[in-house]
DNA sequence: GCCCAGGGAATCG
DNA sequence: CGATTCCATGGG
């Protein structure tokens, strides 16, 4: 893969194991929308437009500084996914999942955004999660001129449950507020979690009312890239009952989160293969 | 009208 | 510990 820095765009040429459709539409992030051939979203308060044509990926209207300091990490470009994909394809149980979407990668998102997004995700569906997150940004995030930043803990903690009613988030209102209040007040220290183990990070996140093991694992995986996190939602439980009733083989635990993403995306698109 | 959705808290045994 | 029930809302 070669990175080409142009005046106002960055090109990733001859890239492998990278597919925008699979990365941005596999249930790990909720702020990207595709129109025509352009995926558009907001990363670190910046509007981002990306397109892909085969092995060529183009980041439009961006700078070398932003790409090197933010986007490179966001798309996990320093990680060798071909090695993981190769390993998974050699496992006859997992091979179909890797062959189905070999371009999946894990995004390194903002911890607070990931936290609130996955609180919203509980007992919900992806389409509605995206809709609620969009309304959340439009009503409580900073107006960046044509688009909105994800609200800060302070911005959200100033809201009341009545204010949050516009989200139509139902019973999750109080969970969102508790998370924002505890993070803004320092009761939950999100930046400290970077240096914590998986278990310690879980303990810290579960202090929030409305955050259990599943949401915590999603935050640890997608917000902190703790690759040993293995979130089990209703779909993953269904898939695991068929693929690995005895649990995930230990040889995968170091990067179980990536395996999880292959499996999750596969069952979402092939549910009939997992019916009881 | 019914069932379900990237769950978790509260309660009960 | 595990099992059950309730929680708001919208799409299929």
């Amino acid at each position: 893969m070669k990175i080409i820095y142009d005046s106002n765009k960055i090109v990733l040429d001859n890239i492998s194991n990278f597919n925008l459709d699979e990365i941005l539409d596999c249930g790990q992030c909720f702020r990207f929308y595709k129109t025509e051939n352009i995926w558009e979203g907001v990363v670190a308060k910046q509007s981002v437009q990306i397109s892909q044509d085969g092995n060529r990926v183009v980041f439009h209207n961006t700078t070398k500084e932003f790409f090197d300091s933010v986007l490179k990490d966001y798309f996990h470009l320093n990680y060798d996914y071909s090695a993981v994909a190769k390993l998974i394809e050699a496992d006859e149980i997992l091979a179909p999942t890797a062959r189905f979407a070999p371009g999946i990668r894990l995004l390194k998102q903002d911890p607070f955004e990931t936290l609130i997004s996955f609180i919203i995700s509980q007992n919900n569906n992806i389409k509605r999660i995206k809709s609620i997150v969009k309304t959340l940004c439009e009503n409580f995030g900073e107006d960046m001129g044509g688009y909105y930043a994800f609200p800060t803990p302070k911005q959200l903690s100033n809201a009341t449950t009545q204010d949050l009613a516009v989200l139509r988030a139902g019973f999750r209102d109080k969970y969102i507020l508790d998370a924002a209040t505890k993070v803004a007040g320092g009761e939950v220290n999100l930046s400290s979690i970077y240096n914590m183990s998986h278990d310690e990070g879980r303990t810290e996140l579960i202090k929030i009312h409305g955050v259990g093991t599943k949401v915590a694992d999603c935050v640890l995986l997608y917000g902190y890239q703790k690759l040993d996190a293995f979130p089990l939602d209703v779909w993953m439980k269904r898939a695991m009952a068929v693929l690995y009733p005895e649990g995930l083989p230990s040889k995968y635990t170091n990067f179980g989160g990536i395996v999880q993403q292959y499996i999750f995306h596969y069952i979402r698109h092939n549910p009939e293969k997992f019916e009881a």
Side-chain angles (χ1 to χ4, degrees), chain A residues 24 31-33 38-51 58-62 66-67 70-71 74-75 147:
Chain A
L24 299 174
R31 288 209 74 190
F32 272 89
Y33 290 87
I38 304 275
W39 277 100
E40 181 162 12
V42 179
V43 178
K45 300 177 75 168
Q46 299 296 313
S47 173
V48 175
Q49 294 102 30
I50 323 164
S51 60
V58 180
F59 293 81
H60 304 269
N61 304 316
T62 190
F66 186 66
F67 182 81
V70 176
L71 293 178
Y74 189 82
F75 282 94
Y147 66 95

Side-chain angles (χ1 to χ4, degrees), chain A residues 181-236:
Chain A
T181 305
K182 283 178 176 157
V183 172
E187 195 172 336
V188 169
N189 186 343
L190 290 187
S191 51
S192 72
I193 296 177
Y194 284 110
N195 300 318
M196 290 183 182
S197 68
H198 183 185
D199 280 343
E200 292 168 334
R202 247 195 196 180
T203 304
E204 182 73 4
L205 291 168
I206 287 174
K207 290 180 186 171
I208 297 163
H209 188 67
V211 175
T213 56
K214 190 272 173 182
V215 169
D217 283 350
C218 284
V219 176
L220 293 169
L221 181 59
Y222 305 127
Y224 295 92
Q225 281 191 333
K226 296 198 182 294
L227 300 183
D228 57 333
F230 194 76
L232 285 167
D233 72 311
V234 291
W235 295 98
M236 278 302 296

